[in-house]
Amino acid sequence: MDLTGKVAIITGSTRGIGNAIANRLAEAGAITVVNGVSDAARVENVAESIRSTGKDCTGVLADVGTSDGVNNLIDTAVQKYGKIDILVNNAGIVRDHGIMRMTEEDWDDVIRVNLKSVFLCSKATLKHMLKQRSGRIISISSIIGIHGNAGQSNYSASKAGIIAFTKTLSKEVGSRGITINAIAPGFIDTDMTRQLEEKWIEYLKSRTSLGFLGMPEDIAEAVAFLASDKARYITGHVLGINGGMGGI
């Protein structure tokens, strides 16, 4: 995939899947804008790591669950690079509890970071993409948003919301040359999954057809494809990358 000259924003890109996506898009030639919410030094370290490969990258500390944070992120990208070609909505958190132990704050935090951020970032970015009559928006959903999972009613609702949002938005902006797609990963080998007990990880592996968990790079490759001209006729689609996991 050749993304030379394209400007890509990747939210939540200081670790895990988001970091792999940022590196893969940079490798494909994109100018990248990486983002984190709480650690300015970490954001800058990620940006510097990409710059060390000879690629242009800017780090922006911003809470994409808020309008102010999103405006800061988008405005910084546009002021520096003049356009936005690719938006990857990846920022996400978990606050897992059964419904009777889940607080209103647990619910609100997850919906704000995982789903409201997709709305805010997409809307702010589309102001520029609509003028360009081109663009790619790719949002990271989850297999949990399709099948659900006990103890994750807030997370599953947020990820299911991304799927519905993707399908709807694709119908609104397709005529302007903008594609809107989502990826629904299964269980990926990240810091988050490594916190699980070994028996639970082995169970998850057993639920896949391939017998192993995916890597962040598996998701990054799919994002690079959907961001490229090779995916010009794909929109409103949800791509499951889960090793053949049909449910949990």
Side-chain angles (χ1 to χ4, degrees), residues 89 127 197:
N89 290 306
K127 289 194 301 184
E197 294 182 15

PDB file of all heavy atoms in Angstrom, residues 89 127 197:
ATOM      1  N   ASN A  89     -10.075   6.037  14.190  1.00  0.00           N
ATOM      2  CA  ASN A  89     -10.656   6.163  15.533  1.00  0.00           C
ATOM      3  C   ASN A  89     -10.328   4.899  16.323  1.00  0.00           C
ATOM      4  O   ASN A  89     -10.991   3.862  16.187  1.00  0.00           O
ATOM      5  CB  ASN A  89     -12.177   6.334  15.437  1.00  0.00           C
ATOM      6  CG  ASN A  89     -12.580   7.674  14.875  1.00  0.00           C
ATOM      7  OD1 ASN A  89     -12.160   8.713  15.365  1.00  0.00           O
ATOM      8  ND2 ASN A  89     -13.413   7.656  13.841  1.00  0.00           N
ATOM      9  N   LYS A 127     -15.343  18.024   8.179  1.00  0.00           N
ATOM     10  CA  LYS A 127     -15.372  19.409   7.702  1.00  0.00           C
ATOM     11  C   LYS A 127     -14.310  19.627   6.626  1.00  0.00           C
ATOM     12  O   LYS A 127     -14.517  20.390   5.678  1.00  0.00           O
ATOM     13  CB  LYS A 127     -15.152  20.390   8.858  1.00  0.00           C
ATOM     14  CG  LYS A 127     -16.306  20.497   9.827  1.00  0.00           C
ATOM     15  CD  LYS A 127     -16.149  21.710  10.718  1.00  0.00           C
ATOM     16  CE  LYS A 127     -14.876  21.673  11.526  1.00  0.00           C
ATOM     17  NZ  LYS A 127     -14.784  22.830  12.473  1.00  0.00           N
ATOM     18  N   GLU A 197      -5.796 -13.969  33.187  1.00  0.00           N
ATOM     19  CA  GLU A 197      -5.211 -15.206  33.685  1.00  0.00           C
ATOM     20  C   GLU A 197      -4.902 -16.133  32.509  1.00  0.00           C
ATOM     21  O   GLU A 197      -5.593 -16.140  31.491  1.00  0.00           O
ATOM     22  CB  GLU A 197      -6.187 -15.903  34.643  1.00  0.00           C
ATOM     23  CG  GLU A 197      -6.435 -15.140  35.929  1.00  0.00           C
ATOM     24  CD  GLU A 197      -7.371 -15.887  36.858  1.00  0.00           C
ATOM     25  OE1 GLU A 197      -7.586 -17.105  36.629  1.00  0.00           O
ATOM     26  OE2 GLU A 197      -7.897 -15.273  37.798  1.00  0.00           O
TER      27      GLU A 197
END
